Amino acid sequence: MMKKKSIFASKASLVLFLCQMISALDVPLDSKLLEELSQPPTITRQSPKDYIVDPRENIVIQCEAKGKPPPSFSWTRNGTHFDIDKDAQVTMKPNSGTLVINIMNGGKAEAYEGVYQCTARNERGAAISNNIVIRPSRSPLWTKEKLEPNQVREGDSLVLHCRPPVGLPPPIIFWMDNAFQRLPQSERVSQGLNGDLYFSNVQPEDTREDYICYARFNHTQTIQQKQPISVKVFSMDSLNDTIAANLSDTDIYGAKPVTERQPVLLTPTGSTSTKVELRGNVLLLECIAAGLPTPVIRWIKEGGELPANRTFFENFKKTLKIIDVSEADSGNYKCIARNILGSTHHVISVTVKAAPYWITAPRNLVLSPGEDGTLICRANGNPKPNISWLANGVPIAIAPEDPSRKVDGDTIIFSHVQERSSAVYQCNASNEYGYLLANAFVNVLAEPPRILTPANKLYQVIADSPALLDCAYFGSPKPEIEWFKGVKGSILRGNEYVFHDNGTLEIPVAQKDSTGTYTCVARNELGKIQNEVQLEVKDPTMIIKQPEYKVIQRYGQVSFECIIKHDSTLLPTVIWLKDNGELPDDERFLVGKDNLTIMNVTDKDDGTYICIVNTTLDSVSASAVLTVVAAPPTPAIIYARPNPPFDLELTGQLERSVELSWIPGDENNSPITNFVIEYEDGLHEPGVWHYQTEVPGTQTTVQLKLSPYVNYSFRVIAVNEIGRSQPSEPSEQYLTKSANPDENPSNVQGIGSEPDNLVITWESLKGFQSNGPGLQYKVSWRQKDVDDEWTSVIVANVSKYIVSGTPTFVPYEIKVQALNDLGYAPEPSEVIGHSGEDLPMVAPGNVQVHVINSTLAKVHWDPVPLKTVRGHLQGYKVYYWKVQSLSRRSRRHVEKKILTFRGNKTFGMLPGLEPYSSYKLNVRVVNGKGEGPASPDKVFKTPEGVPSSPSFLKITNPTLDSLTLEWGSPTHPNGVLTSYILKFQPINNTHELGPLVEIRIPANESSLILKNLNYSTRYKFYFNAQTSVGSGSQITEEAVTIMDEAMASRQVDIATQGWFIGLMCAVALLILILLIVCFIRRNKGGKYPVKEKEDAHADPEIQPMKEDDGTFGEYSDAEDHKPLKKGSRTPSDRTVKKEDSDDSLVDYGEGVNGQFNEDGSFIGQYSGKKEKEPAEGNESSEAPSPVNAMNSFV
């Protein structure tokens, strides 16, 4: 209850807040205006809160501020006034508050340790900086210590302690040998977070005398070295040999063999521990275990999942890393070490606390005399931060009283301010983990209106596109803006105009008659001013004849046309592209006024050609594909790709360049046109080759530009008209030195994913673009068009950062700067992003429906104010649904349909409506977040239409002269049925149609008997329904009246006669006998079983069938696949001997691989998958039975 009271103390404070939102002024960023307006001081640059300096260099404590009049500066040190005039080593930069402490001329950095604070003051207030804690960096030497050699038994664990000296900031630890080579690390041997080197189990190869721990102090660019540590590992064999040499033959000796051990944690100790981390930091948890075999580490979070996309495993999964931690990451994290003998675990209880962070930082307030306003300062943290206010750097409780000011917790309420109320207020939010300090001024101004847009500014737009006419203004109180067209025109109003809060007049769809002079008038109680601008509306540019698809033979000529039409006052330029790139620099390409001609076409000319027409106001394009085909073949020399270059050599090695030379390979009858040089970065992307450059085919040396911190290898590829050669062998490697980054991340964007955040993303630099180790990014942002300072944070090598607590859908200036261990990249360019969108607030109004016909309607609506969209306006959605059919008066399941109209459209067509129905609709505005509320439902009705066809037409009860017709009413009457129309006509034996008869039938009838028809006659019927609108689609049917009974008795069905049935049976029996005889003759070779032939010709050279693939050992010829002769076998010389029988195995099927007869007799002997294997090899291969043969034939 108290919290609610502190935020909204009374209804009056809420009213005042709303008034402030309405009446507070925005000062345009116009340099001339800012020079003329009085403004309290604003801190624009200051040193970081925790400022660690190099004790060997001068100390520079930054404090820059702006204001009108320019502010003066003063400093405090450790809470008391710092008189810089009394210290000869301290100077202040001119027109600045930045202090320079001269250390290089005799000063000592330790003497200037302390807490510094800067104050910038002018007649309208005083702004203060953060408390800047100055501490000189320290890189002390290692203390002398006597290190005993480590003698350990093979398989035991070992910890080599580093214990680096305490430095400021803490050093970076790494282990190397005497040759300055990093010691290899693995799942068995790794460095802990404290710098110690852990061995899960030692092996004989770990024996060495140069385990050296190094500490690198980045601020002073120094590296300290610990004394080498010696490790000797005794294997079981060597121990046994030593013991044996010192014992007699009668002694019993022998060391125990290396025994496997289950895991034991080396760090942390015990079963549980605790860890406290701050919100937004990186959480690092570590578990290192001993054991043999080497244990494997696994991490889990008890009662939850490890956060996706923020969890990383390092040091062979011994370190759990969670970036950008929040309170939700608090909990118990368990590491489990496991090998084949068992497991052990440790639980780390993590608590995430939070230094203060902004929910709503106070913002500068510009008011007019007599207006009201509020300053709001809201922050969160864990524990909850304490909020305190200062006025001009003095606690507000002891500051001079101001009757217009009232402090209510985290809010200061101003009522009826006067010019003397101007001041700078500081909000301090602090808890035990840190503090936030923000300056926000209240500037009370009384200014007549000013228009900042230049007079008679000319605006030019293309017809049917939006026109935005600026009227940038300022005044206090805030002026009212009105627009007029022409010198004596009336004030502009209506839906065809949009009036923006910044004074801009928008004409959503400018037409030719919109051309003219527009006058902007700004007035407040202190004065009035006006300004004129000019608008010209131009005709759009069009391509009236576009290039067309072409197929051309090689060495031919082709031309593409691109004829345009444009506004006579605009000067168009025509650009031709090939495959979205520039045209080749080749004299064969001739660009004319309205065409592109390519002479002597080659295969390289194949591709897509694009004609782009640009004017100063619009751009259009068209494209066509060119396909190059081969010319008719003629006897010619054989052309081929060139052979690869060889003998690559690097000379003239410099930090940023090297010269590469090579010897070309054979060009193979096609001249080499160019050489392509590629490089490999063995340091960052080994095995991946990248394009570097290319040179003409006559050149065999090239000067290559290099990037820092890259281990280069080069290769060369020769290219001729046939294609590319194989790459050459790689050159020798060349490692360049480290340097600051040369470039910053690309594709920087700012798009909010929630209404109160801003997601900043960028494309990270490639490995070689880092120019050195320790790649990081400095992410900076500030709200656009608001006099805010840049907020910056340095993040690891990631590609995203989320800013929380932002206002909904406001523009931000964003920049991302790369840095590494050697320094920063150049200052990055700024991009504009937006914080997150929220759902639109209001529904479109004045929804009107105009029914055009029975299936089409047009809907109109008024656009919603853009400020209520709260996001990027994407369009409007129209929901409409059928309520009921007016002809049936019965409701049905409602199926809503949706139509989306992109952009700021205010009307749309509703197609596919059902006639004679009642509909409802509503309209909603759509932004990137979703849909806004729906407008009230609008009811409309469609008129009658023509009906669908009758649901069915049946003709029954045929007699000699009559037929009975029955039908169903249309499924969709689409109105009130008035009648049915029946048309029919006879069809004679030659399918000719007779005269057409038409009958109109009342709508309430569902059957009809047609009489007086001709007997034994076929009739065709056409049947449809009618409404007052017209006739619907028809349904057709045919029927036949029965013949005369006497004539029918004379007709005899031949299929029922006995003689016909007997004849058919005889024919079928004869065909069956012929088929059996043919099949027996075809299979007479079945009397010669192959297995028996093998037994009769036992030959050790005959190989058995290969069980794995079902093929025959020597019964097939792998070279020509010719069918074998029956009874033949292949001797060792691979010749086929002819036997007595000329019967071929082909008689049994189609070649060696055929399946032969249908009963599987041959398959049973030679199939790789033996279903049945006889015991004595007396298989039968007799011909199949006639029944089986007949079944197989059928």
Side-chain angles (χ1 to χ4, degrees), residues 1060-1074:
F1060 181 77
I1061 297 174
L1063 177 62
M1064 293 297 103
C1065 291
V1067 172
L1069 181 61
L1070 180 60
I1071 293 173
L1072 180 62
I1073 292 171
L1074 289 173

Side-chain angles (χ1 to χ4, degrees), residues 246-261:
N246 292 282
L247 296 177
S248 65
D249 293 339
T250 59
D251 291 325
I252 299 175
Y253 66 93
K256 294 181 180 179
V258 176
T259 58
E260 296 181 336
R261 293 176 290 105

Side-chain angles (χ1 to χ4, degrees), residues 28 46 145 308 372 599-600 628 829 846 888 902 1059 1068 1081:
Q46 56 183 316
E145 56 181 327
D372 304 334
M599 313 289 291
N600 195 22
V628 180
S829 58
N846 193 23
R888 298 183 179 178
R902 298 292 180 186
W1059 66 268
R1081 287 176 61 88

Side-chain angles (χ1 to χ4, degrees), residues 757-776:
N757 77 5
L758 172 66
V759 181
I760 302 174
T761 59
W762 59 91
E763 289 185 9
S764 300
L765 298 182
K766 304 291 185 183
F768 74 90
Q769 294 174 308
S770 66
N771 285 6
L775 178 62
Q776 294 179 299

Side-chain angles (χ1 to χ4, degrees), residues 458-462 466-467 469 534-538 569-570 616-617:
L458 176 61
Y459 294 89
Q460 295 179 327
V461 298
I462 294 296
L469 309 182
Q534 308 296 324
L535 173 63
E536 293 180 359
V537 181
K538 309 291 187 178
T569 62
L570 297 178
T616 55
L617 299 181

Side-chain angles (χ1 to χ4, degrees), residues 578 588 602-607 609 628 673-674 720-721:
K578 178 182 183 294
R588 297 182 300 109
T602 67
D603 290 339
K604 292 192 300 183
D605 301 330
D606 199 283
Y609 290 84
V628 180
T673 57
N674 58 294
N720 62 13
E721 289 190 356

Side-chain angles (χ1 to χ4, degrees), residues 114-339:
V115 180
Y116 293 78
Q117 188 172 44
C118 171
T119 300
R121 185 185 308 275
N122 68 9
E123 62 189 27
R124 288 197 163 242
I128 60 175
S129 69
N130 292 320
N131 285 329
I132 302 169
V133 180
I134 301 296
R135 295 185 294 169
S137 63
R138 286 185 285 273
S139 51
L141 297 175
W142 238 292
T143 56
K144 294 290 184 180
E145 56 181 327
K146 184 177 181 181
L147 300 178
E148 297 293 337
N150 290 274
Q151 298 185 1
V152 290
R153 187 176 65 170
E154 179 183 358
D156 288 353
S157 62
L158 175 65
V159 181
L160 300 183
H161 297 288
C162 180
R163 300 190 183 98
V166 179
L168 184 67
I172 297 172
I173 305 300
F174 52 94
W175 289 79
M176 302 179 75
D177 58 17
N178 275 332
F180 297 102
Q181 298 297 316
R182 285 187 179 269
L183 296 175
Q185 299 192 19
S186 62
E187 289 185 343
R188 185 177 63 85
V189 183
S190 61
Q191 177 182 318
L193 294 176
N194 64 352
D196 293 347
L197 192 62
Y198 291 85
F199 295 77
S200 296
N201 53 80
V202 296
Q203 301 297 326
E205 60 265 24
D206 296 329
T207 298
R208 62 191 307 155
E209 297 180 350
D210 57 348
Y211 286 93
I212 305 174
C213 181
Y214 288 86
R216 183 175 69 197
F217 298 89
N218 282 343
H219 260 71
T220 57
Q221 295 293 309
T222 57
I223 297 178
Q224 304 290 359
Q225 172 185 339
K226 186 182 178 77
Q227 290 179 313
I229 302 175
S230 174
V231 174
K232 185 171 184 180
V233 180
F234 291 96
S235 66
M236 296 302 98
D237 292 339
S238 63
L239 281 175
N240 287 336
D241 292 343
T242 302
I243 295 172
N246 292 282
L247 296 177
S248 65
D249 293 339
T250 59
D251 291 325
I252 299 175
Y253 66 93
K256 294 181 180 179
V258 176
T259 58
E260 296 181 336
R261 293 176 290 105
Q262 67 180 20
V264 176
L265 286 176
L266 297 175
T267 183
T269 58
S271 60
T272 61
S273 60
T274 60
K275 172 83 171 181
V276 176
E277 191 55 78
L278 291 184
R279 178 181 184 270
N281 286 357
V282 176
L283 174 65
L284 293 174
L285 304 178
E286 179 181 59
C287 276
I288 301 177
L292 186 66
T294 303
V296 176
I297 305 295
R298 184 168 67 91
W299 291 89
I300 61 173
K301 183 180 181 182
E302 294 183 346
E305 298 290 335
L306 296 174
N309 303 323
R310 294 189 293 114
T311 301
F312 303 91
F313 297 101
E314 297 180 344
N315 199 16
F316 309 98
K317 292 192 175 181
K318 300 174 188 178
T319 302
L320 171 65
K321 177 180 178 180
I322 302 177
I323 64 174
D324 193 23
V325 295
S326 65
E327 288 84 345
D329 296 319
S330 296
N332 292 333
Y333 292 79
K334 179 188 286 187
C335 70
I336 303 169
R338 185 185 303 276
N339 66 11

